[in-house]
Amino acid sequence: MSAWSKTLTAAGITDPELRRDYSVQRRLVRRYRRSAYLACRVLLPAAVLPHVVAATAVMHHGDTLLDSGPKPERAAAWAAWEERVRNALETGTSDDPLIRTLLHTIASFPRHREVVESYLPTAAAELAFDGFTTEADYQAYVDAYSLPAFLPIAALLGPENDPEGRFRAGCRTLIDGSQRLDFVNDLAEDLREGHPGIPAETLKHFSVTVADLEAGRASDGLRSLVEHEVERARTDLRSGRAVLDLMPPAHRPMVSALVEIELMTAEAVLARGTGVLRGSASPSTAGTLKLLLGARRAAVRAQR
């Protein structure tokens, strides 16, 4: 029996069709989020791993729908997807392998239904996104889209109950840092799509214009802008570590490792500086593997 088969069994997934469904999602997630998948694979308990993989696959599918093609086509594709998911939540059945894994994960973690239902309407914010005028616009986007899209994964790893909202607040801080880092790191891609994710008022503060960016002008102002945005992102990522204390101990090593990978990405973006106009930066594979192996050894020691 393969390690993945043992993982499915440990998670209580015994139906052959469901095992195939989860295996399909695993292959997809492993392909497009290799570092995150590897962190989950080596650091998460088997009982929750397939469910986190399924939730990640759902988020990836949603991102693909919202990023592919002209806006009217994206809106129509999302509406059709949302309808299929809502029908499945209502009936408890689906002919879509991805939705079947989602239904089983909700059956295993009933609290998951609420965050999924809160996520489904968020497409309106993403489809309406056309850049930000102010920092307040960016923060509203985090509340309307980034956080609800993050919670279906995070909720599987958090506490069973969050009556005071501390875990949600910590997740909000984490995703603010991660989203801000993504926007500065993906500046070249966002410019090609016509809507940089850095607010216009922030560009103006550093004497940078969209025309400068589109022309590839690597100014001192742009360098300072990158440093400013990365430092704000790092501050939130570090503060967001507070969620670790609210999680079951077995889930902390993986989430801690993912935060560290984000911080390593921040260092890579700083090193690239104005080079973000030519493409995004990422940590070295060797550095990522070293981090994960160290986290794995620490997790094993903690279990003894």
Side-chain angles (χ1 to χ4, degrees):
M1 183 181 290
S2 70
W4 176 246
S5 292
K6 292 178 181 177
T7 296
L8 291 172
T9 300
I13 302 167
T14 57
D15 177 78
E17 183 179 49
L18 264 179
R19 290 170 74 91
R20 287 192 296 270
D21 292 342
Y22 276 93
S23 295
V24 168
Q25 310 321 317
R26 173 195 178 230
R27 288 193 292 271
L28 292 172
V29 171
R30 186 172 57 183
R31 186 182 310 135
Y32 79 88
R33 292 291 299 271
R34 295 192 69 86
S35 295
Y37 172 76
L38 185 57
C40 292
R41 188 74 188 90
V42 302
L43 295 171
L44 270 185
V48 73
L49 174 58
H51 302 293
V52 170
V53 167
T56 304
V58 169
M59 299 304 103
H60 174 63
H61 182 73
D63 287 345
T64 300
L65 292 177
L66 293 172
D67 290 342
S68 304
K71 187 172 290 187
E73 292 180 10
R74 285 181 275 156
W78 180 272
W81 160 252
E82 181 179 352
E83 183 179 6
R84 289 199 301 275
V85 174
R86 290 194 183 279
N87 286 341
L89 291 173
E90 181 68 26
T91 64
T93 62
S94 176
D95 58 1
D96 185 320
L98 176 55
I99 297 176
R100 286 198 297 265
T101 64
L102 177 62
L103 291 175
H104 183 74
T105 290
I106 289 173
S108 301
F109 298 85
R111 68 182 186 275
H112 195 58
R113 182 179 184 121
E114 181 180 351
V115 292
V116 169
E117 290 179 336
S118 296
Y119 160 68
L120 290 174
T122 62
E126 177 64 5
L127 289 168
F129 171 63
D130 196 26
F132 306 119
T133 301
T134 66
E135 173 68 17
D137 294 333
Y138 163 74
Q139 293 295 335
Y141 174 88
V142 172
D143 285 325
Y145 179 72
S146 305
L147 179 60
F150 177 59
L151 285 175
I153 299 170
L156 292 170
L157 303 170
E160 293 240 355
N161 298 295
D162 186 30
E164 298 176 2
R166 293 173 58 208
F167 181 73
R168 182 185 176 89
C171 286
R172 206 297 184 176
T173 301
L174 267 182
I175 199 61
D176 189 348
S178 182
Q179 182 68 78
R180 191 182 300 276
L181 180 61
D182 280 350
F183 275 141
V184 69
N185 196 21
D186 293 341
L187 187 56
E189 179 182 349
D190 290 342
L191 283 168
R192 288 193 295 271
E193 295 178 356
H195 47 248
I198 299 174
E201 70 176 8
T202 306
L203 295 176
K204 183 178 180 180
H205 178 79
F206 289 94
S207 302
V208 175
T209 68
V210 172
D212 291 333
L213 298 175
E214 291 175 338
R217 297 190 183 101
S219 64
D220 289 339
L222 175 59
R223 183 173 293 103
S224 297
L225 169 66
V226 171
E227 292 172 354
H228 174 268
E229 291 298 284
V230 170
E231 188 52 44
R232 289 195 68 174
R234 289 198 297 194
T235 297
D236 282 335
L237 289 167
R238 289 165 178 156
S239 297
R241 286 175 173 147
V243 301
L244 297 174
D245 293 336
L246 305 174
M247 292 179 166
H251 297 170
R252 295 173 190 168
M254 192 279 289
V255 177
S256 178
L258 288 183
V259 173
E260 293 306 313
I261 290 172
E262 287 282 86
L263 290 169
M264 289 168 60
T265 301
E267 290 296 327
V269 175
L270 278 179
R272 178 154 297 184
T274 60
V276 295
L277 288 178
R278 298 188 298 274
S280 59
S282 58
S284 70
T285 300
T288 301
L289 289 174
K290 181 179 179 181
L291 169 70
L292 294 178
L293 289 173
R296 175 61 179 168
R297 286 193 293 267
V300 169
R301 285 196 300 269
Q303 293 170 5
R304 290 173 181 169

